[in-house]
């Protein structure tokens, strides 16, 4: 437990020192939500909520704000976790080679993912609530949190296979665009196609739309998010374990100095 607590503390401190992520959080999310709300037409659009098959009507500005928020948080948390995992990659190898428990490092990474996702999703949801009153605010926040977790796990996974930050950032940006653009009821005519159910943000977007415009508690779409989260997390942790499997075990874990 002490090894886990020390590893988590250093991982969270390293994440907090990411100035670019802090600027993006403070500036990018409010700007993106504000632009989506103020510059998009408030004209009411009918659309089919695929998760239930029911038809709903909502303002184009509100629908765009939801999809824009998911796009913003997915980029931010994905990049944040990619950057954090990439920067500690060599240090993790040295720690495990010296006998530091891999389970403690894995637990620290999961803790960082959870904390980052909760903070970013809460911030984005709070900004949406400044402009709009959804019928189910808590469910909306849960849907945004699910998207943060999925893309954070994607960022950790990519960090084990891509060398540079530019490669990771471009991959996350393109994935988010390919993911959310075909699903928007306002921007796309493919939002009702069966294949959208395979996309990472399907569960979050469907749940967000249900939270915004219905009083029904619809959680079934989040099963899709859970599947994506599980698959990406298992892949990332399995790759981490394989890359450090040759590390010899020692009875006593070395002290972490924070110097990589």
């Amino acid at each position: 437990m002490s090894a886990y607590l020390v590893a988590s503390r250093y991982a969270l401190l390293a994440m907090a020192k990411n100035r670019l992520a802090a600027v993006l959080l403070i500036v990018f999310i409010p700007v993106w939500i504000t632009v989506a709300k103020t510059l998009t037409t408030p004209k009411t659009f009918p659309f089919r909520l695929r998760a239930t098959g029911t038809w709903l009507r909502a303002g184009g500005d509100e629908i765009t704000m939801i999809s824009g928020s998911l796009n913003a948080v997915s980029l931010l948390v994905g990049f944040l976790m990619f950057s954090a995992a990439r920067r500690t990659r060599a240090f993790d190898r040295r720690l495990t080679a010296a006998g530091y428990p891999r389970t403690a490092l894995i637990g620290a990474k999961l803790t960082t993912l959870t904390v980052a996702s909760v903070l970013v999703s809460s911030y984005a949801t709070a900004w949406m609530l400044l402009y709009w009153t959804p019928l189910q605010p808590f469910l909306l926040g849960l849907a945004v949190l699910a998207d943060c977790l999925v893309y954070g796990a994607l960022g950790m996974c990519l960090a084990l296979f891509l060398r540079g930050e530019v490669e990771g950032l471009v991959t996350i940006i393109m994935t988010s665009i390919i993911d959310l653009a075909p699903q928007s009821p306002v921007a796309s005519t493919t939002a009702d196609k069966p294949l959208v159910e395979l996309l990472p943000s399907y569960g979050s977007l469907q749940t967000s739309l249900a939270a915004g415009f219905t009083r029904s508690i619809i959680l079934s779409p989040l099963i899709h998010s859970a599947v994506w989260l599980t698959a990406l997390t298992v892949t990332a942790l399995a790759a981490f374990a394989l890359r450090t499997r040759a590390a010899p075990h020692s009875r006593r874990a070395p002290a972490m100095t924070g110097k990589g």
Side-chain angles (χ1 to χ4, degrees), residues 169-195:
L169 182 59
V170 170
T171 301
I172 293 169
I173 290 174
M174 294 306 299
T175 301
S176 181
I177 293 173
I178 294 171
D179 178 12
L180 284 161
Q183 295 191 64
S184 174
V186 174
S188 175
T189 58
T190 62
D192 196 36
K193 301 296 182 182
L195 289 178

Side-chain angles (χ1 to χ4, degrees), residues 190-225:
T190 62
D192 196 36
K193 301 296 182 182
L195 289 178
V196 300
E197 294 186 18
L198 302 177
L199 298 174
S201 294
Y202 170 80
S204 292
L205 183 57
Q206 291 290 304
T207 305
S208 296
L209 293 172
F213 310 114
T214 74
R215 295 192 181 276
S216 302
I217 301 177
I218 300 171
L219 298 175
S220 57
L222 293 181
I223 295 175
H224 293 76
S225 300

Side-chain angles (χ1 to χ4, degrees), residues 6-81:
V6 172
S8 296
R9 180 163 63 91
Y10 276 92
L12 292 172
L13 285 173
M15 181 183 70
K17 292 179 180 179
N18 191 325
R19 295 181 180 179
L20 176 59
V23 171
L24 290 175
L25 173 65
I26 296 171
V27 178
F28 180 62
I29 287 180
V31 168
W32 188 218
I33 291 175
T34 301
V35 168
K37 175 62 179 176
T38 58
L39 298 185
T40 309
T41 175
K43 177 184 176 181
T44 301
F45 286 85
F47 67 95
R48 180 173 174 264
L49 186 66
R50 184 167 183 81
T52 61
T54 57
W55 282 88
L56 303 174
R57 296 183 66 85
D61 54 344
E62 295 168 349
I63 296 174
T64 303
M65 185 169 58
I66 290 175
S67 60
S69 298
L70 293 179
N71 181 245
V73 300
S74 64
L75 293 177
L76 179 55
V77 179
F79 172 71
L80 179 61
M81 293 308 300

Side-chain angles (χ1 to χ4, degrees), residues 82-233:
F82 174 83
S83 179
R86 178 182 170 275
R87 291 180 181 182
T88 60
R89 192 164 50 189
F91 190 40
D92 288 341
R93 290 198 192 100
R94 291 199 294 272
L95 283 174
T96 53
Y100 206 88
R102 282 185 295 175
T103 53
L105 295 175
I106 289 173
K109 293 182 185 301
L110 294 177
T111 299
T112 304
L113 170 61
T114 302
V115 171
S117 298
V118 169
L119 289 176
V120 173
S121 63
S122 299
Y123 186 67
T125 303
W127 268 97
M128 280 194 282
L129 295 180
L130 288 176
Y131 291 105
W132 169 54
T133 303
L135 296 179
Q136 300 182 75
F138 178 78
L139 185 60
L140 176 64
L142 183 62
V144 178
L145 173 61
D147 206 44
C148 288
L149 289 169
V150 169
Y151 271 84
L154 174 63
M156 288 196 306
C157 191
L158 292 175
L160 294 166
F161 303 103
L162 299 179
R163 291 182 177 275
E165 286 197 352
V166 174
E167 297 169 272
L169 182 59
V170 170
T171 301
I172 293 169
I173 290 174
M174 294 306 299
T175 301
S176 181
I177 293 173
I178 294 171
D179 178 12
L180 284 161
Q183 295 191 64
S184 174
V186 174
S188 175
T189 58
T190 62
D192 196 36
K193 301 296 182 182
L195 289 178
V196 300
E197 294 186 18
L198 302 177
L199 298 174
S201 294
Y202 170 80
S204 292
L205 183 57
Q206 291 290 304
T207 305
S208 296
L209 293 172
F213 310 114
T214 74
R215 295 192 181 276
S216 302
I217 301 177
I218 300 171
L219 298 175
S220 57
L222 293 181
I223 295 175
H224 293 76
S225 300
V227 171
W228 271 99
L229 175 60
T230 301
L232 290 170
T233 302

